[in-house]
Amino acid sequence: MLRNNEPTPAPIEDVQNVARALWSWLNGYPDKLAGRITFEHLPNENYGMTILSMQSAYKIKTYLRSAYRAQYPFQILYRKAPDSDDERLKMDEALNKLGAWAESNPNKPELEGGARVLRISRTSGASMTNRYEDGSEDHVIDMNCEYEVTENEP
């Protein structure tokens, strides 16, 4: 039964569980262009892919016995120095393909502790957000991971 419908922050342990599972799972994407996807940093200042937390996960439904449904909004950032408009378009295409794979992949990230991913969705198409003096650009896609926690310690 639904107790409330007010978004409230999800427990930090659950948020960390989701972040770690997403990072590992997204690194299983076979067509990533940057080798390895990192979490919240780029090892090379002008090239790479990383997952960025947009804000903390928040509960969207709370049930009896502390069970709840939550959303974890995140971005995937791809930084590269494109040498043409075609390369720039390919950066967006690569992110959009990764987003489509994440949405349609039936094998969702595995969460611990009585939690499961319900769906992963794109909340925007890929687009350029920053351009730097060295010619590198940031292209991002906004994503959302909806998950449910059914077993919580009291």
Side-chain angles (χ1 to χ4, degrees):
M1 295 184 103
L2 186 64
R3 277 199 313 208
N4 68 43
N5 204 12
E6 297 283 323
T8 56
I12 192 64
E13 298 83 15
D14 294 340
V15 174
Q16 291 170 339
N17 179 18
V18 172
R20 184 171 297 281
L22 273 171
W23 169 69
S24 177
W25 181 75
L26 286 168
N27 270 294
Y29 175 60
D31 298 325
K32 57 188 175 299
L33 300 176
R36 181 174 164 267
I37 299 173
T38 60
F39 187 79
E40 304 234 345
H41 82 286
L42 291 171
N44 181 331
E45 286 187 23
N46 60 5
Y47 179 76
M49 290 183 94
T50 189
I51 300 166
L52 301 171
S53 300
M54 292 174 60
Q55 62 189 29
S56 185
Y58 57 93
K59 296 178 183 181
I60 54 174
K61 290 185 182 179
T62 303
Y63 303 97
L64 294 176
R65 296 187 180 101
S66 299
Y68 65 90
R69 184 174 288 192
Q71 292 185 352
Y72 177 84
F74 64 100
Q75 291 180 320
I76 302 172
L77 178 141
Y78 182 21
R79 181 176 293 165
K80 182 179 176 182
D83 56 9
S84 67
D85 287 338
D86 184 57
E87 283 292 313
R88 191 170 287 113
L89 287 166
K90 285 180 180 177
M91 291 174 71
D92 285 346
E93 289 167 0
L95 286 170
N96 286 325
K97 283 181 181 179
L98 183 117
W101 173 85
E103 284 178 325
S104 64
N105 188 339
N107 301 314
K108 298 300 182 207
E110 293 186 22
L111 303 179
E112 299 174 358
R116 68 185 177 103
V117 171
L118 301 173
R119 78 181 53 83
I120 296 176
S121 57
R122 292 173 281 184
T123 57
S124 77
S127 64
M128 185 183 68
T129 57
N130 292 308
R131 182 175 290 142
Y132 301 96
E133 289 183 22
D134 66 359
S136 61
E137 298 176 356
D138 289 346
H139 291 242
V140 299
I141 187 168
D142 296 341
M143 307 281 296
N144 188 56
C145 176
E146 187 173 330
Y147 66 98
E148 188 170 64
V149 176
T150 57
E151 299 174 19
N152 267 330
E153 302 268 332

